Amino acid sequence: MAATKREIERKFEFRTTKAGRRGVPDLTGTDAIAAVTDQGTAELDAVYYDTPDQRLAADGLTLRRRTGGKDAGWHLKLPVAPGVRDEITAPLGDTVPDALTALLRSRVRDAPLEPQVRLLSSRKLSHLLDADGALLAELSTDAVRAERADATAAWTEVEVELADGADPALLDAVEKTFRKAGLRVSDAPSKLARALTETGGEPPARTTGTEAGPAADTVGAHVLAYLREQRDTLIAQDPAVRRGLPDSVHQMRVATRRLRSAFKTYRRILDPAETGPIGEELRWLAAELGVDRDQEVLLERIQTRLDELPRTLVLGPVRGRLKIWNVARRTGSRRAALAALDSGRHVALLNALDALLADPPLLKAAARPAESALPAAVLADYERLAGRIGGALSMNPGEDRDLALHEARKAAKRARYAAEAAAPALGKPARKLARAVKAVQSLLGDHQDGVVAREALRGLGVQAAGAGESAFTWGLLYAREEALAERRERELPEVWAATAGPAAALRG
């Protein structure tokens, strides 16, 4: 069973040989540190695994099998921010645990994970304690020997890792004390990175595809940069979804939508014959991920509306029925999403995106300057949205209008994504249009969520009545959702009108 720990640390090295002979200064009295206690020395033996082309190292990930010390086992470290990583551990074994392999799938795919570097460390460990004896951080001084094929390297490294809940400002105070004693923050983000550099095995820089791509100021270069950003998000969110991290499914689905929208918006830049099949696979992935997430959003909406009611209007076992309904609908939905991520189809999709970006099917228009070509593409999506808004507003209230507003919502997403994608090149006019269209999308999204909620509430009312329970509360919630939808429809013309100015500015 894998366990996760947030690791906040800072690594240091001695600036000079003389500073190294003096050693680590006494940190007693630094910030809240009241005592430094010796925890002895441990001998650590770690073998780091990666693909033959070092895909993990290129992305700043490390996977190791370590013996010795108090935490022997398999360790996977995923970067969160500079100096912050999530360490996921699994019990010691001869092969990489399946739980860790799954978290690496989007990067490793079908490539083998093999031993790359061995690090032997003699670690002197101390605890940094506050006045009450509580642990603030661990101080490690490691004498490291790296072995890679026939190459070796050795160095001394000092590391301070915060205890859970400790103030990160402690690291700044320690760094100040260390600077005076001749230590500086290490240039290498990890032992592995330094070992690879010093043994001549530095991982190759991630290929961006720009080396042989279109000129930097062209619309083709701009579109490809945006697509790479979304591809990278797709890859990075894969392990987050598997870990069930908040908002990860949403972020991954947004990346799939942005990619699909870009393929359509820039169909005169990239050959649709090549991007179309990939777009359909992105649609599949978004749908597989969406089942559990959509149910979660729906449950939150109904619970919020229920909490807004006076207790006297909640008749019968309403919350119990809602819980049973939710469990029944979500059974297997997360399992299905993870199965999609584990599938060969998902790997094939990622490989197809990589291939497209490595050798993009650019059309003649891709060579045009970005500042002259992008406005037309953005405004084409905006006009498409205008047509759908106008069509929906011309209809009478009812199911047909609800469907038309839902289609307008989809068009609003595409128009917003187009404006956001163009913002790096077009600046403020594109950003203003993106914000204005986002307001339209949000309003239409709330309207559609209400349509879905009404259907669910009607079903819950039927279930309650069939079980001999009062259906009053479900009917009341239905009526409230209906009233809210009507309000959103009345607000739409004004919110839509606010997009006219930014659109005009983009037209110039």
Side-chain angles (χ1 to χ4, degrees):
M1 190 70 176
T4 302
K5 179 181 182 299
R6 178 60 55 87
E7 182 182 82
I8 303 175
E9 64 183 18
R10 200 164 295 177
K11 297 180 183 295
F12 302 87
E13 58 187 48
F14 294 101
R15 287 199 300 261
T16 64
T17 303
K18 183 178 179 181
R21 285 197 298 268
R22 286 197 303 265
V24 178
D26 183 6
L27 291 172
T28 303
T30 298
D31 198 64
I33 301 172
V36 179
T37 61
D38 184 8
Q39 300 297 307
T41 300
E43 302 302 323
L44 310 177
D45 187 345
V47 177
Y48 286 76
Y49 284 67
D50 205 336
T51 60
D53 56 355
Q54 298 179 334
R55 299 179 192 178
L56 301 186
D59 276 356
L61 283 72
T62 60
L63 172 67
R64 73 187 178 203
R65 181 187 185 275
R66 188 165 79 181
T67 57
K70 63 181 180 180
D71 61 348
W74 287 92
H75 304 160
L76 170 62
K77 297 193 179 186
L78 302 171
V80 176
V84 183
R85 295 186 293 182
D86 279 349
E87 182 180 67
I88 304 166
T89 60
L92 196 62
D94 293 334
T95 59
V96 183
D98 291 343
L100 302 188
T101 301
L103 295 176
L104 298 171
R105 188 84 188 283
S106 64
R107 290 179 170 89
V108 173
R109 303 184 198 168
D110 295 324
L113 286 167
E114 301 172 344
Q116 301 293 326
V117 179
R118 184 183 185 189
L119 296 184
L120 301 169
S121 303
S122 182
R123 167 168 291 182
K124 181 181 178 182
L125 182 66
S126 298
H127 281 176
L128 309 181
L129 309 178
D130 67 10
D132 297 323
L135 181 65
L136 294 171
E138 289 189 341
L139 168 66
S140 304
T141 303
D142 294 345
V144 184
R145 175 182 170 84
E147 300 176 351
R148 180 179 180 272
D150 296 329
T152 62
W155 68 89
T156 298
E157 177 178 289
V158 180
E159 176 183 297
V160 179
E161 180 179 343
L162 294 181
D164 292 343
D167 186 352
L170 177 67
L171 294 176
D172 295 330
V174 169
E175 181 181 339
K176 184 177 180 180
T177 299
F178 276 0
R179 279 202 307 268
K180 295 177 181 177
L183 288 96
R184 64 180 177 86
V185 176
S186 176
D187 293 330
S190 66
K191 285 185 177 68
L192 175 62
R194 181 165 182 173
L196 291 171
T197 299
E198 298 203 7
T199 60
E202 189 171 3
R206 287 192 60 185
T207 56
T208 63
T210 58
E211 295 81 2
D217 59 349
T218 63
V219 65
H222 179 90
V223 171
L224 290 175
Y226 179 76
L227 293 175
R228 288 187 201 98
E229 180 183 343
Q230 305 312 316
R231 185 272 315 271
D232 291 348
T233 299
L234 203 62
I235 292 171
Q237 289 298 326
D238 182 296
V241 170
R242 295 173 187 274
R243 295 169 60 198
L245 297 186
D247 206 39
S248 57
V249 171
H250 173 67
Q251 293 299 325
M252 195 172 189
R253 290 178 77 194
V254 167
T256 66
R257 290 168 179 159
R258 290 182 187 276
L259 284 163
R260 288 184 61 232
S261 291
F263 289 160
K264 294 175 181 177
T265 298
Y266 302 112
R267 59 192 177 277
R268 292 183 175 85
I269 308 301
L270 292 168
D271 187 354
E274 299 290 334
T275 61
I278 298 177
E280 288 306 307
E281 290 303 282
L282 289 165
R283 181 201 296 271
W284 160 78
L285 179 59
E288 292 296 316
L289 293 171
V291 175
D292 194 61
R293 173 60 180 165
D294 289 346
Q295 177 62 20
E296 180 183 20
V297 171
L298 178 57
L299 175 65
E300 289 175 357
R301 186 180 182 95
I302 295 176
Q303 285 178 327
T304 298
R305 298 289 179 262
L306 187 58
D307 291 342
E308 292 169 351
L309 291 179
R311 295 176 64 179
T312 54
L313 299 181
V314 181
L315 306 183
V318 172
R319 296 188 186 278
R321 175 154 298 282
L322 183 61
K323 183 177 180 179
I324 293 170
W325 168 83
N326 181 60
V327 170
R329 287 172 66 101
R330 294 187 74 174
T331 297
S333 60
R334 173 165 169 77
R335 187 164 57 248
L338 295 180
L341 296 183
D342 283 334
S343 69
R345 188 174 181 178
H346 179 48
V347 170
L349 168 59
L350 295 177
N351 288 339
L353 281 169
D354 285 349
L356 180 91
L357 292 170
D359 185 18
L362 296 170
L363 300 176
K364 186 177 180 180
R368 294 179 59 197
E371 290 188 4
S372 64
L374 285 171
V378 174
L379 290 169
D381 280 345
Y382 175 79
E383 294 302 332
R384 177 173 172 269
L385 170 60
R388 294 197 179 183
I389 292 286
L393 291 177
S394 68
M395 295 179 177
N396 293 323
E399 184 176 350
D400 288 344
R401 189 181 198 186
D402 290 342
L403 291 172
L405 289 171
H406 182 43
E407 291 302 311
R409 177 198 185 188
K410 296 178 185 178
K413 284 183 181 179
R414 180 166 153 183
R416 171 194 165 191
Y417 294 157
E420 289 176 344
L426 303 182
K428 185 181 291 186
R431 288 195 294 271
K432 284 188 174 181
L433 181 60
R435 286 196 295 268
V437 173
K438 182 180 179 180
V440 175
Q441 176 196 327
S442 297
L443 184 149
L444 293 172
D446 191 56
H447 181 276
Q448 176 60 20
D449 288 349
V451 171
V452 175
R454 291 206 306 272
E455 180 61 24
L457 290 166
R458 189 189 69 82
L460 283 161
V462 170
Q463 291 177 16
E469 302 164 5
S470 172
F472 171 82
T473 301
W474 303 116
L476 180 58
L477 292 175
Y478 185 102
R480 287 196 166 199
E481 286 289 2
E482 199 169 43
L484 182 60
E486 292 174 358
R487 187 189 316 162
R488 294 290 177 260
E489 291 179 27
R490 291 195 301 271
E491 293 169 348
L492 178 57
E494 182 178 353
V495 176
W496 169 245
T499 68
L506 195 62
R507 289 190 185 96

